[in-house]
Structure formats: C-alpha cells, structure tokens
Amino acid sequence: MKKTLKLISLILAALMLLTALFACKSTNETETDETDKATETETESAQTEENGKDGSILVFSSGEYKVKFIRSELANQNEKEAYSKIRELFKNRKKKSVPISTDFVSGSATLDNSAAILIGKTNYPESKQAHETLKGHQATATVIGNKYVIAYASYEALEALLLKLDELIKKAPIINMTVTSAWNLDVTVTGVVDTTEIPNYNGAAFDASVDA
C-alpha cells in the first residue's frame, strides 16, 4: 500500500513538473513571436523611410503598394478624373486597387515625408517646384527626392502625359515596380486654345494671371 501511494506521488510530481515546463516553453515562444513581429515592423518602417532616398522609388513589391498616391484635398473635377485615371493605370498592371490619399487642407496637418506619387497641385513643396517651370500647354512627370511628381499647365497636356505614363507602366516588371529618372517625362501640346490653360500655381494657391 505504501509503495502504491509513493508511486502515485511520484507520478503526480512528474506531471506537475511537465506542466510547468510546457507553460514556460509557451511563454518563451509567445515572447519570441512578439519580438519577431516588433522587429519586422521596425524593419518595414525603416524601409519605408528609406524608400526613394537614392533616387529610386519602389512603388510596388510583395503584393503591396510601397508609396501613397496623393492628390490635393481641394482638387477640381478635372484633376480628380486625372487622379482616377492614374490609379486605374497602376491597378490594370498590378491587378490591385490603389488606395485614395489626399494632402492636408492648408494649416490643418503635417505633410507626410514618406515616398509618394504626387498628382497635380498638392500642398507638397515638390509639387510647387515642378509647377514653377511649366510653360504653355506642358505637363511633366519628374522624380524629386522620394516623390514622383506629376505636374501640368493644361488638361490637354496632362492627357497626353498619361498616354506616355501608361506605356511606362505596361513595360514595368510585374513583381517589383520601381520609378527612376528613366520615368521622367516632358510633354508639350501645340495647337490648343489658350482659354483652357490653368492659372499660375503658387504653392497651395493660384494667381489670377494666365500664362501667355
């Protein structure tokens, strides 16, 4: 009888020890998983911040867009339509919808410094820089820092630019899409009536004058 009780006690002790070991292992695995996830998040954040700093902007990789597509919060209907067309061009190539992003309404927020494709007259300084040199019915797409900036002086020129941009997107790799200076475009449309021209751009505001 005593031997039986002793054996039962030993079995119970062994079970308690095993339970404690399994609990400890589970805790360690959980902590490891959480550490790995935190490391992945930090790495991804660092990659996002570095994207475009070498003049090469990673647009799409690992099934996700790595940049924001930004238009002005105050965009008019024509600019909204152009923005939709550009999103559609990328969607058709990558078979994945492009999230909508807008800049801030002046004075209400801080600009995002991550890599982006800027479309039209946004509040970003890169947009102002690109628009300052435009003349007549001209449209450009230029890599400036970690931004790919699409600027235009008339809607006709913007339409012509989108045709050339479509050609570049169709030739871009399926898996990883990167924008470099090879994507810089400059289009001027001739024979267009000047009444359709857009007022001079001055940051987030417009002058009343029109280019001759």
Side-chain angles (χ1 to χ4, degrees):
M1 185 67 178
K2 289 182 179 180
K3 288 183 179 180
T4 302
L5 290 174
K6 187 175 182 181
L7 180 60
I8 292 173
S9 297
L10 289 173
I11 292 173
L12 289 174
L15 289 174
M16 291 175 65
L17 179 61
L18 287 174
T19 300
L21 289 173
F22 278 122
C24 182
K25 182 180 179 182
S26 177
T27 300
N28 289 336
E29 288 178 348
T30 301
E31 291 176 352
T32 300
D33 289 343
E34 291 177 352
T35 301
D36 289 343
K37 289 179 181 178
T39 302
E40 289 175 2
T41 301
E42 291 174 359
T43 301
E44 186 174 337
S45 177
Q47 289 174 342
T48 299
E49 291 179 359
E50 291 294 323
N51 188 14
K53 287 191 175 180
D54 61 352
S56 177
I57 304 171
L58 182 62
V59 175
F60 190 91
S61 180
S62 303
E64 298 292 337
Y65 289 102
K66 302 300 181 180
V67 298
K68 292 181 179 180
F69 291 70
I70 299 175
R71 67 165 173 81
S72 171
E73 181 74 23
L74 306 176
N76 60 30
Q77 188 58 39
N78 284 330
E79 192 163 298
K80 288 178 180 179
E81 289 177 3
Y83 177 76
S84 296
K85 287 180 182 179
I86 291 172
R87 291 174 56 243
E88 192 67 21
L89 294 179
F90 281 92
K91 177 185 176 182
N92 290 341
R93 179 59 170 163
K94 307 313 276 183
K95 308 304 179 186
K96 186 177 180 65
S97 297
V98 178
I100 296 175
S101 295
T102 63
D103 64 359
F104 66 95
V105 176
S106 184
S108 66
T110 301
L111 291 173
D112 183 355
N113 289 321
S114 60
I117 295 178
L118 305 180
I119 301 159
K121 295 161 287 299
T122 73
N123 283 329
Y124 284 77
E126 293 88 351
S127 287
K128 180 179 180 181
Q129 178 182 337
H131 280 84
E132 284 177 340
T133 59
L134 295 180
K135 296 181 180 179
H137 293 276
Q138 183 184 14
T140 60
T142 315
V143 174
I144 303 177
N146 64 346
K147 306 289 191 297
Y148 186 54
V149 187
I150 297 173
Y152 62 98
S154 74
Y155 300 120
E156 292 82 1
L158 179 59
E159 288 290 332
L161 181 78
L162 293 186
L163 293 176
K164 291 186 174 293
L165 182 59
D166 186 25
E167 294 174 6
L168 289 175
I169 293 172
K170 287 178 178 177
K171 294 177 182 178
I174 291 291
I175 299 176
N176 293 319
M177 179 184 285
T178 302
V179 170
T180 66
S181 59
W183 283 55
N184 288 355
L185 300 170
D186 190 339
V187 177
T188 299
V189 177
T190 58
V192 180
V193 179
D194 284 342
T195 54
T196 62
E197 202 153 313
I198 298 171
N200 291 334
Y201 181 58
N202 181 20
F206 289 88
D207 295 329
S209 59
V210 177
D211 287 341

